[in-house]
Structure formats: structure tokens, C-alpha cells
Amino acid sequence: MDTKEVRLVIDIVENDVLKPGQNIYTRKVVRFSSLISQPLWWDDVVTESLLGKYTETKFRLFMEVTGVGDLTELSESERWSLARQFKYYLIKKEDEGNPVQDEDGSYMSVPVVG
């Protein structure tokens, strides 16, 4: 996987039409990367009750299994249902003798009840 990060630097310069204002607002830096960072919705509640500790490997697999990558607008019951779907997938893989390993080498698991 390519983990290269690319930066885009945008400088706003004064001209006849535009006066950018204070210097601190005239430069913006945007970073692009192929790495997936922890989404804002993967908060303490999700960690403790649904999906456990965030890892990129777990998040990618969760999206692959459930077809969902953003839980922001979902209800509590919808989140719970997706977490259970993911849990059942992990259990099935373990029952088949092919448990899913996480980034640290441990078998992947989730704390959701059900």
C-alpha cells in the first residue's frame, strides 16, 4: 500500500480585486494520503460498546462486510445492527478455522452484545 502523503499549499495573494486580509488567513495547507484515519463517529461509545479499538484494518474490513463506511447519520439501533453483522462475520471466520487477524497480530473482535 502506498502511504505517501502529498501536500497542496494554497497562497491567497492580493490583487486589484482581492484583499486577503490578515497574513494568518492567506495560506492553507491541505494534505492528501491513501491512509484512512479514524472517523469522527468512531468515538468512545463506538469503541466501548460496538466495534472496539480502532485500527485501519478493522475499519476497512467493517466497510467491506457491511457496505457502510459512515455511521454519522444512523440511529443507535442501525449502528448496533451493523456492529452485530460484523461480529457474526468474525465469528463465522473463526468457526471456519480462519480467524481474522488485526494489525497487532491478535484475532479481531468487537464488544457488541448479541
Side-chain angles (χ1 to χ4, degrees):
M1 175 183 348
D2 182 13
T3 59
K4 182 178 179 182
E5 182 180 278
V6 177
R7 288 184 324 151
L8 171 64
V9 180
I10 301 169
D11 283 315
I12 300 171
V13 296
E14 186 173 335
N15 62 29
D16 293 338
V17 179
L18 179 69
K19 295 201 181 280
Q22 296 178 353
N23 288 341
I24 62 171
Y25 301 113
T26 61
R27 174 174 279 192
K28 291 296 175 192
V29 178
V30 181
R31 290 178 170 81
F32 297 93
S33 171
S34 62
L35 296 176
I36 298 177
S37 59
Q38 182 172 340
L40 294 176
W41 58 260
W42 197 308
D43 57 15
D44 290 342
V45 172
V46 172
T47 299
E48 293 171 18
S49 305
L50 298 175
L51 298 175
K53 179 183 164 198
Y54 172 85
T55 65
E56 183 178 345
T57 303
K58 184 183 279 186
F59 184 39
R60 284 184 184 272
L61 185 59
F62 174 79
M63 290 189 295
E64 182 182 318
V65 169
T66 64
V68 177
D70 186 358
L71 305 185
T72 304
E73 299 295 322
L74 300 182
S75 69
E76 186 176 329
S77 64
E78 290 170 317
R79 289 177 173 212
W80 183 72
S81 178
L82 289 168
R84 283 186 34 218
Q85 179 184 349
F86 187 55
K87 179 176 186 167
Y88 297 155
Y89 171 83
L90 295 174
I91 291 170
K92 178 182 173 207
K93 295 302 281 181
E94 190 172 340
D95 289 347
E96 294 171 348
N98 192 18
V100 178
Q101 285 191 324
D102 211 334
E103 293 172 5
D104 65 359
S106 66
Y107 293 144
M108 196 176 289
S109 63
V110 292
V112 66
V113 177

